[in-house]
Amino acid sequence: MLIQEEKWMQFAISMAKIGEKKGEVPIGAILVYKNKIISQSWNSCISNNDASAHAEILVIKNGGKFLKNYRLLNTSLYVTHEPCLMCSSAIFHARIKKIVYGSYSFNKESLTNFLFFFKKKIKHHIKEIISGVLLYECSMLLKNFFKNIRKNKKHFKLLKLQ
């Protein structure tokens, strides 16, 4: 079972790497339906000048177009990083059945906290959440990205001083 999850997560990682090459925060996502990828994307906030252009949101939009339905019943979402509050809400409303993510968010506005809050309030449609799939690979994408940004900022500051 976990081997299957790792296989799909590799596709999400490849999406994150494409986004990184385009100067975006390297988070990738895919949507699987009947054992086929029906939608895939990476964060595109910077290139789209759109704060809502997270990989998960873009995958949900395209998945709805593919299925011709805003309810993405019986689909599985694979994302390299734990979804934020905005994406968690979209996942919830799209009725995605299964969410698999790689690295964890330490932000209080994340999928885990979102579902914990709603668990007692209303019945949600998410049947399964698997976290930490290819954790190291997913974590290193973000860690290296932000490390390079900090390094480049220091480099540019030094150039300005000369």
Side-chain angles (χ1 to χ4, degrees):
M1 180 75 157
L2 195 56
I3 293 171
Q4 181 74 2
E5 308 311 338
E6 290 177 356
K7 174 191 129 183
W8 292 123
M9 188 60 73
Q10 287 291 350
F11 285 103
I13 289 171
S14 69
M15 292 293 103
K17 289 179 178 177
I18 291 170
E20 183 175 28
K21 287 178 184 173
K22 295 177 179 285
E24 299 285 349
V25 176
I27 296 176
I30 64 165
L31 190 65
V32 175
Y33 178 70
K34 293 185 178 179
N35 214 27
K36 292 181 184 175
I37 297 173
I38 62 166
S39 181
Q40 57 190 14
S41 194
W42 52 85
N43 270 21
S44 298
C45 298
I46 297 166
S47 58
N48 288 353
N49 297 310
D50 180 356
S52 71
H54 289 197
E56 302 95 309
I57 299 294
L58 298 173
V59 160
I60 288 169
K61 285 181 178 183
N62 291 330
K65 289 176 186 174
F66 180 87
L67 294 175
K68 296 179 178 35
N69 194 337
Y70 73 98
R71 291 184 174 169
L72 305 176
L73 303 173
N74 300 311
T75 60
S76 299
L77 175 71
Y78 293 80
V79 60
T80 57
H81 188 66
E82 184 175 5
C84 69
L85 183 60
M86 173 183 67
C87 295
S88 298
S89 183
I91 291 164
F92 176 82
H93 288 288
R95 298 189 180 184
I96 294 171
K97 184 178 181 178
K98 178 178 174 182
I99 298 101
V100 180
Y101 64 88
S103 60
Y104 299 93
S105 175
F106 295 104
N107 189 331
K108 290 181 182 177
E109 296 176 345
S110 65
L111 175 71
T112 305
N113 288 323
F114 175 84
L115 291 176
F116 180 75
F117 177 76
F118 279 102
K119 189 172 187 178
K120 293 180 182 176
K121 303 273 183 196
I122 53 177
K123 182 182 177 196
H124 57 78
H125 305 281
I126 299 168
K127 300 297 180 201
E128 187 176 9
I129 299 173
I130 302 173
S131 60
V133 174
L134 298 180
L135 174 64
Y136 179 77
E137 294 87 339
C138 293
S139 297
M140 291 309 291
L141 282 169
L142 289 170
K143 183 177 181 177
N144 290 334
F145 177 79
F146 288 112
K147 182 179 175 181
N148 287 334
I149 284 178
R150 286 188 297 276
K151 181 180 167 185
N152 288 336
K153 280 185 179 179
K154 286 179 186 176
H155 176 71
F156 287 121
K157 282 181 184 178
L158 289 174
L159 287 176
K160 286 181 182 180
L161 293 175
Q162 293 177 357

